[in-house]
Amino acid sequence: MTDVSLIDRLLDVIEDDIVPKTAEGVAHGNKLFGAAILRKGDRSLVIAETNNETENPLWHGEVHCLKRFYEMPKADRPDTKDCLFIATHEPCSLCLSAITWTGFDNFYYLFSHEDSRDSFAIPHDLKILKEVFTLGPGGYNAENAYWKSFSIRRLLRDLPEADRKRLETRIAGISRRYDALSREYQDGKTDNDIPLN
């Protein structure tokens, strides 16, 4: 059974913690991908970050979040097995590897690879999966020996209608915010120094 309070918390973090950082990042020429880490026990925020590819093309939202996580003093940094990982967009192959190498046993995402390509005009995730790994959309193993991934939108399917409709309305609002950020990014991307923009 899907935990409605968990989905609400994940959406809270996207809206309140990731989106403001992403808006600032996009204003500086970065893509609109972000991530956050929460403690499993109380779902408190450990860290939220966004894409910082204008500093380094490897600083995708998830990787940049992990970089900042490991810059925290070890005494303040929870074990990754005790954490939830949230990505605003389905992680690309680089970010999937980073999540794996850092020991997370889960991740949640809101927008799919197809959304990145079709809604946000950033096709690189699917192109790399196809060209390098010969995988089509969704071709990676979403549940494996390392982690289990969860599409937030797919989790809604199992909910009672009232909860599902309420959460779909929340997601529609978040999607509108990301649509605006996407337009801003696309309008300014020729001025940045990101190899795959």
Side-chain angles (χ1 to χ4, degrees):
M1 180 75 171
T2 300
D3 182 344
V4 175
S5 67
L6 173 61
I7 295 173
D8 270 314
R9 178 62 181 140
L10 298 177
L11 297 178
D12 287 345
V13 170
I14 291 171
E15 286 181 303
D16 300 335
D17 300 298
I18 300 173
V19 166
K21 289 179 177 288
T22 299
E24 185 178 330
V26 167
H28 290 96
N30 292 291
K31 291 187 184 84
L32 57 146
F33 305 129
I37 298 168
L38 306 180
R39 288 176 179 83
K40 283 181 181 176
D42 62 5
R43 299 177 184 163
S44 62
L45 180 69
V46 177
I47 193 163
E49 265 304 338
T50 194
N51 185 291
N52 194 17
E53 286 180 275
T54 57
E55 180 182 315
N56 181 327
L58 297 177
W59 296 160
H60 291 196
E62 299 92 331
V63 175
H64 194 234
C65 185
L66 290 166
K67 173 188 179 292
R68 295 279 196 234
F69 178 73
Y70 279 97
E71 289 172 348
M72 295 172 67
K74 188 172 182 178
D76 298 337
R77 192 177 64 233
D79 189 288
T80 56
K81 295 288 187 213
D82 297 326
C83 294
L84 302 172
F85 193 95
I86 309 167
T88 57
H89 295 70
E90 187 172 10
C92 71
S93 52
L94 170 68
C95 297
L96 288 172
S97 294
I99 291 166
T100 305
W101 279 104
T102 52
F104 284 86
D105 62 11
N106 71 88
F107 67 86
Y108 294 79
Y109 63 90
L110 182 57
F111 301 107
S112 69
H113 286 154
E114 292 88 349
D115 291 328
S116 294
R117 178 192 64 202
D118 301 339
S119 299
F120 304 117
I122 302 173
H124 312 299
D125 299 349
L126 289 175
K127 284 183 175 180
I128 290 169
L129 282 173
K130 182 69 173 171
E131 291 297 319
V132 177
F133 301 102
T134 65
L135 296 173
Y140 68 91
N141 191 9
E143 184 173 349
N144 55 64
Y146 296 101
W147 41 255
K148 184 172 181 178
S149 68
F150 303 91
S151 161
I152 294 171
R153 285 184 165 151
R154 279 193 214 117
L155 290 174
L156 299 188
R157 294 176 187 166
D158 298 332
L159 295 177
E161 184 177 0
D163 289 323
R164 188 178 71 252
K165 286 186 180 289
R166 180 182 62 77
L167 290 167
E168 286 171 349
T169 299
R170 278 195 78 183
I171 289 171
I174 294 169
S175 296
R176 285 190 295 275
R177 182 67 177 115
Y178 275 94
D179 288 342
L181 289 169
S182 178
R183 286 190 297 274
E184 183 180 345
Y185 170 74
Q186 294 296 332
D187 288 347
K189 73 180 183 179
T190 56
D191 298 330
N192 69 27
D193 189 29
I194 300 173
L196 295 179
N197 63 14

